[in-house]
Amino acid sequence: MAMVEKNGSTIGYVARNFLLCLFLFTTVLFALSCYFVLRSTAHNRFLSSTFQSKPFVDSVKREKDDCRCEKRTTGPLKVYMYDMDPEFHFGLLNWKPQGGRKKWPDVQKYIPPYPGGLNLQHSIEYWLTLDLLASEYPRPAATATATAAKRVYNSTEADVIFVPFFSSLSYNRFSKVNPHQKTSRNKDLQGKLVAFLTAQEEWMRSGGRDHVVLAHHPNSMLDARNKLFPAMFILSDFGRYPPTVANVEKDVIAPYKHVIKTYENDTSGFDSRPILLYFQGAIYRKDGGFVRQELFYLLQDEKDVHFSFGSVRNGGINKASQGMHNSKFCLNIAGDTPSSNRLFDAIASHCVPVIISDDIELPFEDVIDYSEFSVFVRTSDALKENFLVNLIRGITKEEWTRMWNRLKEVEKFYEFHFPSKVDDAVQMIWQAIARKVPGVKMRIHKSRRYSGSVSDTGKESRWSSLIPRSFW
């Protein structure tokens, strides 16, 4: 009997110890689990807030040397430019090949001049092409960091494929049909362009999605745009494009080149600019531009507002420069399309823009906050009696001075130079294109999901050999 009691107590003792050990073990295991979970989430938060620009693939050690995943690279945007006939680019400026150079001018020795006046405002294609040609030559050490894009000669190494067609210049100079022609030279060039591009291996490889096509003038590429819609367009706005052809997801809005002179050594201030609100330009416009004439009727009798018709003729540009330099606020109103060059003339004049254009898309708005140096007014509000004038007069000297100072800081983003300078308009456009590249890659990869499938080609896909015949 004593032996039984002794055995029972021994068993109970062992059982209690076992349960105690099990409890301690599970408690420690739970505590460690909580610790690692919290540590993991905290680490992820730290990474996401501190190293957002570092690609995930760089932080993961690859186990296979032959991994075909594409890594994000640093440095200039790699651009492959088609060696197209000069009739598409500098030939439109009456440049003719000389010496051994059959396609491009030697920009170290001679730069074909671009026509002035209003032609300049849509000259984006000219500046970008010059920048690519200049990238072939070594830059002085002092300006080496100014390279935002570099021309490469193997298209498979490129981030984007650049199409050097001066479409805005072609429209401005060659859109009229001469008596001995059936179609205009501009239309003929667009037809040749479509035929050329769609026959290229680069276009067929990506469906054109990685091609950069310049169509900054709203009327440029009218015949070709619907055939080249997969490409990335460089535009002034989306006013004359259906969203299936051009949209903010795949395309880039570039600034106009301002036509008035930059206000250098600006020592003006709130009190030395006597004009409250300035506008000079075409008043009677079609489409969304009806607001101009309505505002003209509302503001024409305001003593400190200048609102008048103007053009480039008879010294119009010089008059506009003087008027903007003497104005606190400058109106940027929708015309035939949502955008106009007056916004960029105002920025160059350090005249705070007042933007009345509900459908406007602005250059580089993903990295620039326009509300820091501009005033936005809805069209419906602007057309209310006294609303606009009262709003502008209610802006204090301190608020205006803050916006004026910010204008002087951001104006460099809208200046075009050759050679390009750090963060000038040329480089800002290249950077905007670079920010679109991941989306371009994604669209290209998605387009290949079912490439070679039975439904697409009538043949078995490239994976069919791995599937048992009984499956089919």
Side-chain angles (χ1 to χ4, degrees):
M1 186 70 180
M3 182 65 68
V4 173
E5 290 178 355
K6 183 177 180 180
N7 290 339
S9 62
T10 301
I11 293 171
Y13 175 76
V14 171
R16 285 194 299 274
N17 283 346
F18 174 76
L19 291 174
L20 179 61
C21 291
L22 182 63
F23 174 75
L24 291 174
F25 176 75
T26 54
T27 302
V28 171
L29 185 63
F30 177 76
L32 287 173
S33 300
C34 292
Y35 169 76
F36 284 115
V37 168
L38 290 173
R39 185 181 177 207
S40 173
T41 55
H43 182 63
N44 287 338
R45 285 196 300 271
F46 178 73
L47 283 177
S48 64
S49 61
T50 310
F51 300 108
Q52 291 180 348
S53 61
K54 186 174 182 180
F56 176 73
V57 294
D58 289 347
S59 65
V60 179
K61 183 178 180 181
R62 300 192 180 281
E63 297 180 356
K64 296 183 179 180
D65 293 334
D66 61 345
C67 179
R68 302 181 72 179
C69 301
E70 296 183 43
K71 296 182 181 180
R72 180 180 173 184
T73 58
T74 57
L77 181 73
K78 292 179 290 186
V79 183
Y80 176 81
M81 180 166 65
Y82 284 121
D83 261 328
M84 296 172 67
D85 191 275
E87 69 172 335
F88 289 101
H89 43 84
F90 289 101
L92 296 172
L93 294 170
N94 297 321
W95 174 80
K96 292 179 172 54
Q98 297 176 352
R101 300 184 70 91
K102 298 181 179 180
K103 297 291 179 66
W104 305 103
D106 183 350
V107 296
Q108 286 189 310
K109 298 178 180 178
Y110 174 73
I111 302 172
Y114 201 88
L118 292 180
N119 290 287
L120 278 174
Q121 61 183 343
H122 296 297
S123 58
I124 314 306
E125 56 223 8
Y126 173 75
W127 300 99
L128 293 180
T129 304
L130 284 176
D131 199 54
L132 282 182
L133 293 175
S135 74
E136 301 175 35
Y137 304 105
R139 291 197 178 199
T143 60
T145 56
T147 303
K150 184 169 182 62
R151 186 182 184 186
V152 298
Y153 294 89
N154 186 340
S155 62
T156 61
E157 298 175 358
D159 297 310
V160 293
I161 312 296
F162 185 81
V163 181
F165 174 42
F166 291 3
S167 60
S168 296
L169 182 64
S170 178
Y171 171 78
N172 279 331
R173 302 189 101 185
F174 305 107
S175 57
K176 293 183 179 180
V177 180
N178 293 328
H180 61 282
Q181 294 176 319
K182 291 184 178 180
T183 59
S184 68
R185 183 179 176 187
N186 176 49
K187 189 169 185 175
D188 286 341
L189 284 175
Q190 291 181 62
K192 289 182 179 181
L193 179 71
V194 172
F196 171 83
L197 290 179
T198 54
Q200 300 306 304
E201 178 186 347
E202 289 80 10
W203 182 275
M204 291 184 282
R205 189 166 60 219
S206 68
R209 294 173 180 87
D210 57 356
H211 283 51
V212 175
V213 175
L214 299 110
H216 199 257
H217 193 290
N219 291 327
S220 62
M221 300 289 285
L222 282 174
D223 297 287
R225 61 178 62 169
N226 291 336
K227 299 171 184 176
L228 303 179
F229 70 90
M232 182 193 308
F233 289 127
I234 311 299
L235 307 171
S236 57
D237 59 46
F238 299 118
R240 292 180 179 170
Y241 285 79
T244 53
V245 173
N247 55 73
V248 72
E249 180 182 354
K250 77 175 184 70
D251 302 310
V252 170
I253 298 298
Y256 293 63
K257 186 183 187 306
H258 61 80
V259 295
I260 69 168
K261 295 181 179 179
T262 303
Y263 196 171
E264 298 179 352
N265 303 317
D266 180 8
T267 58
S268 67
F270 186 84
D271 297 322
S272 62
R273 291 180 175 240
I275 302 173
L276 175 69
L277 190 59
Y278 184 91
F279 177 87
Q280 183 167 303
I283 295 176
Y284 300 99
R285 309 300 290 176
K286 54 187 177 182
D287 301 328
F290 77 94
V291 65
R292 291 190 182 184
Q293 63 189 71
E294 296 296 327
L295 284 174
F296 171 70
Y297 298 136
L298 286 172
L299 301 174
Q300 61 180 334
D301 295 327
E302 299 291 339
K303 61 179 181 179
D304 50 358
V305 173
H306 176 94
F307 200 119
S308 68
F309 175 83
S311 69
V312 297
R313 299 176 181 177
N314 300 320
I317 293 177
N318 289 332
K319 291 177 183 177
S321 297
Q322 185 178 1
M324 287 186 168
H325 291 179
N326 285 290
S327 300
K328 298 178 179 69
F329 299 91
C330 288
L331 280 167
N332 179 72
I333 316 170
D336 293 344
T337 61
S339 68
S340 83
N341 197 30
R342 280 168 194 81
L343 171 61
F344 308 100
D345 285 342
I347 292 172
S349 303
H350 310 152
C351 179
V352 175
V354 179
I355 300 173
I356 306 174
S357 181
D358 297 346
D359 297 321
I360 196 170
E361 294 289 348
L362 297 165
F364 326 131
E365 197 168 12
D366 55 336
V367 294
I368 295 176
D369 183 357
Y370 281 77
S371 68
E372 294 178 346
F373 55 88
S374 304
V375 178
F376 290 84
V377 184
R378 291 185 180 88
T379 300
S380 58
D381 289 332
L383 294 179
K384 296 175 183 176
E385 190 171 0
N386 296 324
F387 180 92
L388 183 59
V389 171
N390 291 340
L391 174 69
I392 300 304
R393 286 183 177 145
I395 296 175
T396 64
K397 178 178 180 178
E398 290 71 25
E399 290 175 301
W400 181 88
T401 303
R402 175 182 54 79
M403 290 188 282
W404 176 74
N405 283 322
R406 183 60 178 149
L407 279 171
K408 292 190 290 183
E409 294 173 352
V410 303
E411 66 175 331
K412 65 179 182 179
F413 302 139
Y414 309 97
E415 297 289 343
F416 290 83
H417 300 104
F418 178 78
S420 63
K421 298 181 180 180
V422 175
D423 290 338
D424 72 351
V426 176
Q427 299 217 1
M428 289 291 285
I429 294 171
W430 287 129
Q431 291 168 24
I433 292 172
R435 292 193 293 273
K436 296 287 186 181
V437 169
V440 169
K441 298 293 185 186
M442 183 180 70
R443 287 191 290 275
I444 292 173
H445 295 165
K446 279 189 171 184
S447 72
R448 293 172 180 165
R449 287 181 177 181
Y450 302 105
S451 61
S453 67
V454 173
S455 60
D456 282 351
T457 65
K459 300 179 181 180
E460 294 180 3
S461 74
R462 54 182 170 171
W463 310 114
S464 61
S465 61
L466 304 177
I467 303 174
R469 298 302 304 175
S470 58
F471 179 86
W472 296 102

